[in-house]
Amino acid sequence: MFGLRTIKRAACVLTATLALGQAAQAQESHLRMQTATPGSGYYVFSVTLQSVLQKKLPVKINMTAGVTGPRSPLDAARGQTDLFISSPSINHFMRTGTGMFAKMKTAPELYKNVRQIMTFPAGPYHIVVHEKSGIRSLEDIKGRRIFLGAPGGAATLVAISIVEGATGYEAGTDYELAKLDWNSGLQAFQDGHVDMLVMPTQLPSASMEQMALLEKVRFLGIPDDAFESDQMKKIMALPGRTRATIPAGIYGANQTNETDVRTIGSWAGLGTRKELDEELVYQITKTLFENLSAFHGAAKFMEEITLENALTEMRTPLHAGAVRYYREAGVDLPDHLIPPEAR
């Protein structure tokens, strides 16, 4: 039999242990994160980030996939998510109340609550057709059914402008625009229900590799003179848009174009909300850049994630916690990226 003193001592130890456990739990941060469709480069980045942060910091990240680009900054601004995959062009539309936010009067005010942590190259716009379709240039799509992205998305607006700038064709008049989500659009192309697909994705892209395993495909380029059109100049003026190249042969023997193709490159980023704890964001930023090897090893496209290009194509102000890290790391910060709370 245990004595009363022994029982009391054991009870004290148990109480202390429980208290320590509760304190540890209290210090652990539970974060909400939104990302894109599984299989996309954005998703690969997000899962890698989740793994790194949960391994190195006392955080737990609840991730929601398949969230549309315009929804995430709105949710962040309203305090409904903590981290999200951001788009420089979507942030621009939100700030100016244009594009997909044209009918939302509160968008510019909500934008003031959005902050950035870093940016990374998300990959070029892949303009792909079935080789058997006979399409050899964008001008050949007249009268065809094509998929240019999910309705209302920034990528779709860019894709429509690519077609218009290169050909003068208008959706619904010169070609049929398939109004599908990304998963359905990809499946429709693979099943032959659409003749062309335009998709910004990492290079090389797992989705494109899968297509090229099943059949012969051709990637179309944007003619140099198309970049001089008013429509294309407007698109290239948007944040997050650069010129890019898809190399011939990168997708194997079933990629039939024999020369590199010129296209548009896209940039994405890691966004957050203004009110997220400064120390926490500082630790997130620091941990990300101190563990770049995990990102570089996870996918080839993430080899381009570096401290040197962490602010490329960024227009939205940084979070104060990220500002603190970059200053410590010796990064020269443009004035427009420093928020009022970090001055």
Side-chain angles (χ1 to χ4, degrees):
M1 296 292 293
F2 293 106
L4 181 60
R5 183 176 299 177
T6 301
I7 294 175
K8 287 182 176 180
R9 186 181 297 117
C12 290
V13 171
L14 178 60
T15 301
T17 301
L18 289 174
L20 287 172
Q22 290 172 351
Q25 290 180 355
Q27 293 174 0
E28 185 176 76
S29 297
H30 290 259
L31 301 175
R32 300 156 296 179
M33 183 172 184
Q34 293 181 355
T35 188
T37 305
S40 66
Y42 312 119
Y43 183 82
V44 174
F45 169 83
S46 301
V47 171
T48 306
L49 179 70
Q50 179 188 43
S51 176
V52 168
L53 295 184
Q54 290 187 160
K55 183 178 180 180
K56 301 292 184 178
L57 297 177
V59 299
K60 292 294 182 183
I61 300 176
N62 180 28
M63 191 179 303
T64 302
V67 181
T68 59
R71 175 185 158 187
S72 287
L74 290 174
D75 284 353
R78 293 166 176 153
Q80 296 168 356
T81 193
D82 302 305
L83 301 170
F84 65 96
I85 296 299
S86 65
S87 161
S89 58
I90 289 178
N91 287 348
H92 165 79
F93 291 133
M94 186 177 177
R95 178 180 66 81
T96 57
T98 57
M100 68 287 296
F101 298 106
K103 296 182 179 180
M104 187 176 183
K105 294 181 180 180
T106 58
E109 188 63 27
L110 286 169
Y111 170 81
K112 296 177 182 179
N113 297 325
V114 176
R115 293 291 183 264
Q116 286 293 121
I117 294 176
M118 50 83 73
T119 56
F120 60 92
Y125 277 75
H126 289 61
I127 307 172
V128 60
V129 298
H130 306 278
E131 178 65 19
K132 62 187 177 184
S133 69
I135 298 174
R136 297 294 178 268
S137 71
L138 285 168
E139 291 185 345
D140 295 335
I141 67 169
K142 194 163 189 176
R144 304 292 189 111
R145 185 170 188 250
I146 64 177
F147 174 69
L148 300 180
T156 308
L157 294 177
V158 172
I160 290 173
S161 298
I162 289 174
V163 173
E164 186 175 343
T167 66
Y169 296 165
E170 295 184 6
T173 300
D174 299 297
Y175 63 89
E176 180 185 352
L177 181 62
K179 297 180 180 180
L180 305 166
D181 60 42
W182 284 108
N183 283 334
S184 300
L186 283 166
Q187 191 61 53
F189 179 80
Q190 291 179 354
D191 294 342
H193 296 153
V194 296
D195 297 305
M196 184 178 83
L197 174 147
V198 180
M199 179 180 182
T201 183
Q202 70 269 26
L203 188 70
S205 162
S207 298
M208 300 300 160
E209 287 176 333
Q210 182 180 358
M211 292 177 189
L213 285 174
L214 299 174
E215 64 170 314
K216 292 185 180 296
V217 295
R218 177 179 292 270
F219 294 92
L220 305 182
I222 301 173
D224 287 339
D225 58 355
F227 281 100
E228 300 305 316
S229 68
D230 290 340
Q231 192 68 21
M232 287 291 287
K233 286 181 179 179
K234 290 179 182 178
I235 289 301
M236 295 305 294
L238 288 174
R241 302 288 171 252
T242 58
R243 292 200 185 197
T245 299
I246 298 177
I250 192 171
Y251 292 112
N254 276 346
Q255 179 184 349
T256 60
N257 49 286
E258 298 178 352
T259 59
D260 298 348
V261 297
R262 298 286 299 279
T263 184
I264 294 177
S266 62
W267 284 71
L270 178 62
T272 186
R273 56 187 179 87
K274 174 185 174 182
E275 299 304 325
L276 192 60
D277 181 72
E278 179 180 329
E279 175 64 23
L280 179 57
V281 176
Y282 167 78
Q283 293 295 339
I284 288 172
T285 312
K286 179 180 174 68
T287 302
L288 191 163
F289 286 106
E290 288 185 348
N291 292 274
L292 286 177
S293 60
F295 293 86
H296 296 170
K300 184 172 180 58
F301 83 96
M302 288 198 290
E303 292 176 1
E304 297 186 57
I305 297 177
T306 65
L307 184 60
E308 288 71 27
N309 65 20
L311 308 180
T312 302
E313 293 297 310
M314 188 185 293
R315 302 293 185 273
T316 298
L318 288 160
H319 190 282
V323 169
R324 177 180 154 198
Y325 170 75
Y326 288 122
R327 282 173 172 164
E328 287 184 2
V331 176
D332 185 23
L333 298 177
D335 187 69
H336 70 276
L337 293 185
I338 303 174
E341 60 271 19
R343 292 186 181 278

